[in-house]
Amino acid sequence: MFFGKDVFGGLARQVSIVVTVALASVGGAAAEDAENTVVYFGGDGVRNGVGVYGGFTYALNGDIATSGWVISANMGYATFWSPGSTSYTFDASVLLGYQWHTPDYYLALNLGGDFISNVDTPPTAGPAMGQKVGVIGQVGFETKASEAIYLSGFGAYATANQRIYGQVRVGYQDANYYTYGVEGIYGNELGSSPVTRIGVFVGGIEVGPGAVGVSVGYLDEWGSTVNDGAYLAVEYSVPLRF
């Protein structure tokens, strides 16, 4: 499953991508020239599964790097294979939220609607199977100071299949707003065993008009070693003005 196996879509990446790209690229731009949107996409791979995702966040006040209301939408697709079966997951969400920017930190709260579809081949009758619609809430936090300790956290809960996701990152942000350090991730879903990841990350790498982030580490599925192994996640985000 998407959460249980931790092949996870754009939902969990959204907050940190938005603030990092805004800081790195908007800077001292005049308000009328500031970007109002961040578009992001990426991929996630574990021992027995892969996933891709994409989405955007749009600032209603016209400047993604200032406090105000935002609209976000994202979707993801993943497949997970095990002996005798293959799972396919599609999820999508649309959210309304508010972001606070201060000189020292960024904070965001989002609430919206969520859809998830889980299908197994051959079919199974697990509690998370089928299509479900629910409500999803998110909270995200990130420090902004350059040449300083870097902290970020993200949490999400979706009523559809009782999905839970949490991520914490601790590291350093340099003068160019590159970030690097260690991360810990927890994911769970109805009918699946909890999953944790421990790894390292680097973010804010300038590529073209946007920024790349990469993380790598080890995944542990509680109560079993069948799916334990390395993970790799790559994301790209670009600020735009519409």
Side-chain angles (χ1 to χ4, degrees), residues 16-108:
S16 62
I17 289 175
V18 169
V19 67
T20 301
V21 172
L23 287 169
S25 59
V26 175
E32 62 270 19
D33 298 323
E35 284 85 359
N36 58 14
T37 305
V38 170
V39 176
Y40 54 88
F41 53 89
D44 221 337
V46 297
R47 178 179 176 181
N48 295 327
V50 294
V52 294
Y53 63 86
F56 71 89
T57 294
Y58 173 77
L60 295 178
N61 67 1
D63 189 346
I64 197 69
T66 62
S67 299
W69 293 95
V70 295
I71 295 175
S72 303
N74 58 76
M75 63 178 61
Y77 177 80
T79 182
F80 180 84
W81 52 90
S82 58
S85 69
T86 303
S87 299
Y88 305 93
T89 296
F90 171 81
D91 79 332
S93 61
V94 178
L95 304 100
L96 175 66
Y98 195 89
Q99 60 179 15
W100 291 266
H101 280 275
T102 78
D104 298 319
Y105 67 87
Y106 166 89
L107 175 67

Side-chain angles (χ1 to χ4, degrees), residues 55-226:
F56 71 89
T57 294
Y58 173 77
L60 295 178
N61 67 1
D63 189 346
I64 197 69
T66 62
S67 299
W69 293 95
V70 295
I71 295 175
S72 303
N74 58 76
M75 63 178 61
Y77 177 80
T79 182
F80 180 84
W81 52 90
S82 58
S85 69
T86 303
S87 299
Y88 305 93
T89 296
F90 171 81
D91 79 332
S93 61
V94 178
L95 304 100
L96 175 66
Y98 195 89
Q99 60 179 15
W100 291 266
H101 280 275
T102 78
D104 298 319
Y105 67 87
Y106 166 89
L107 175 67
L109 298 174
N110 299 278
L111 183 69
D114 170 59
F115 169 82
I116 186 167
S117 172
N118 284 323
V119 178
D120 279 355
T121 303
T124 63
M129 291 297 101
Q131 291 76 45
K132 297 182 182 180
V133 176
V135 176
I136 190 166
Q138 306 173 357
V139 58
F141 170 84
E142 188 168 29
T143 57
K144 296 170 65 174
S146 62
E147 299 182 278
I149 298 297
Y150 171 81
L151 300 172
S152 72
F154 180 88
Y157 177 76
T159 60
N161 291 338
Q162 301 172 24
R163 286 138 58 216
I164 301 171
Y165 184 94
Q167 180 191 74
V168 175
R169 286 179 166 177
V170 180
Y172 184 79
Q173 184 159 251
D174 67 19
N176 296 313
Y177 292 101
Y178 296 171
T179 59
Y180 33 85
V182 296
E183 67 178 13
I185 298 171
Y186 173 88
N188 199 5
E189 181 183 14
L190 181 67
S192 296
S193 299
V195 170
T196 53
R197 294 184 180 192
I198 300 295
V200 296
F201 71 90
V202 58
I205 304 170
E206 296 178 14
V207 177
V212 170
V214 180
S215 60
V216 62
Y218 187 80
L219 178 150
D220 176 50
E221 182 177 15
W222 297 14
S224 172
T225 60
V226 175

